[in-house]
């Protein structure tokens, strides 16, 4: 029986990047249909941008990211990053790919790898177009689609749905009404998918 998981994430979240492959593999293994919702930190639910955290928490956050990146086999460039623009507009490429029935997972993978492993400025439309084109997608078509009403409407609606679903940080997964926050909660999500509801 096919199961459905709502996946809330942010292109600009290193935790979303670190846990992405583990989640998509889990979904494939458990016959899960994934519905993506892209947004940014939901501050009204208590989400906090890393730049607004005390330095001692930021230092721990950085160490923990590095530990998890090694566990997940991800290259994460946190130091000596150039000044990059807001990566959130790259979400529109992913939304366009999803709405058009394309491989949105591949688009996410290309954009997040470029941003987190290579420190490329995916907030700039020409750069993200080149990145997805190099990954085998029609970057020019995705660039054209990002301004379309259905793409913009989903971007706006995704934030509302995240807020109303109790999401505050990324990645978050909702299955059968149960919210799981953080890629470190994937084992609990998998147990639930296999019948062990908390």
């Amino acid at each position: 029986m096919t199961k459905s998981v709502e996946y809330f994430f942010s292109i600009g979240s290193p935790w979303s990047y670190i846990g992405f492959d583990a989640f998509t593999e889990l979904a494939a293994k458990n016959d899960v249909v994934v519905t993506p919702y892209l947004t940014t930190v939901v501050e009204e639910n208590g989400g906090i941008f890393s730049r607004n955290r005390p330095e001692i928490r930021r230092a721990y956050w950085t160490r923990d990211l590095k530990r998890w990146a090694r566990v997940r086999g991800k290259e994460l460039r946190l130091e000596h990053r150039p000044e990059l623009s807001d990566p959130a507009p790259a979400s529109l490429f992913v939304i366009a790919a999803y709405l058009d029935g394309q491989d949105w997972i591949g688009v996410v993978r290309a954009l997040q790898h470029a941003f987190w492993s290579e420190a490329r400025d995916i907030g700039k439309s020409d750069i993200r177009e080149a990145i997805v084109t190099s990954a085998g997608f029609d970057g020019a078509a995705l660039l054209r689609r990002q301004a379309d009403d259905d793409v913009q409407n989903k971007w706006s609606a995704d934030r509302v749905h995240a807020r109303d679903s109790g999401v505050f940080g990324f990645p978050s997964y909702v299955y059968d009404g149960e919210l799981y926050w953080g890629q470190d909660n994937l084992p609990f999500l998998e147990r639930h998918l296999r019948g062990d509801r908390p």
Side-chain angles (χ1 to χ4, degrees), residues 48-60:
I48 303 171
F49 284 98
S50 62
R51 64 178 176 267
N52 296 331
R53 293 175 180 152
E55 187 53 42
I56 197 161
R57 269 199 71 186
R58 280 181 53 80
Y60 182 83

Side-chain angles (χ1 to χ4, degrees), residues 37-86:
Y37 295 93
L38 291 97
T39 186
T40 57
V41 172
V42 187
E43 292 182 284
E44 52 266 57
N45 284 353
I48 303 171
F49 284 98
S50 62
R51 64 178 176 267
N52 296 331
R53 293 175 180 152
E55 187 53 42
I56 197 161
R57 269 199 71 186
R58 280 181 53 80
Y60 182 83
W61 176 81
T62 299
R63 292 297 304 150
D64 208 30
L65 279 169
K66 290 178 178 179
R67 287 192 288 256
W68 272 107
R70 289 184 67 183
V71 167
R72 298 292 191 204
K74 295 281 188 143
E75 183 183 348
L76 189 62
R77 182 174 167 190
L78 294 175
E79 283 88 20
H80 311 297
R81 288 173 67 86
E83 194 69 32
L84 303 176
S85 55
D86 181 5

Side-chain angles (χ1 to χ4, degrees), residues 109-131:
R109 191 170 283 124
L111 290 170
Q112 285 194 323
H113 176 80
F115 186 70
W116 286 112
S117 291
E118 301 172 348
R120 295 179 66 186
D121 199 347
I122 64 172
K124 294 181 177 175
S125 58
D126 59 329
I127 293 177
R128 64 179 174 268
E129 178 186 358
I131 289 166

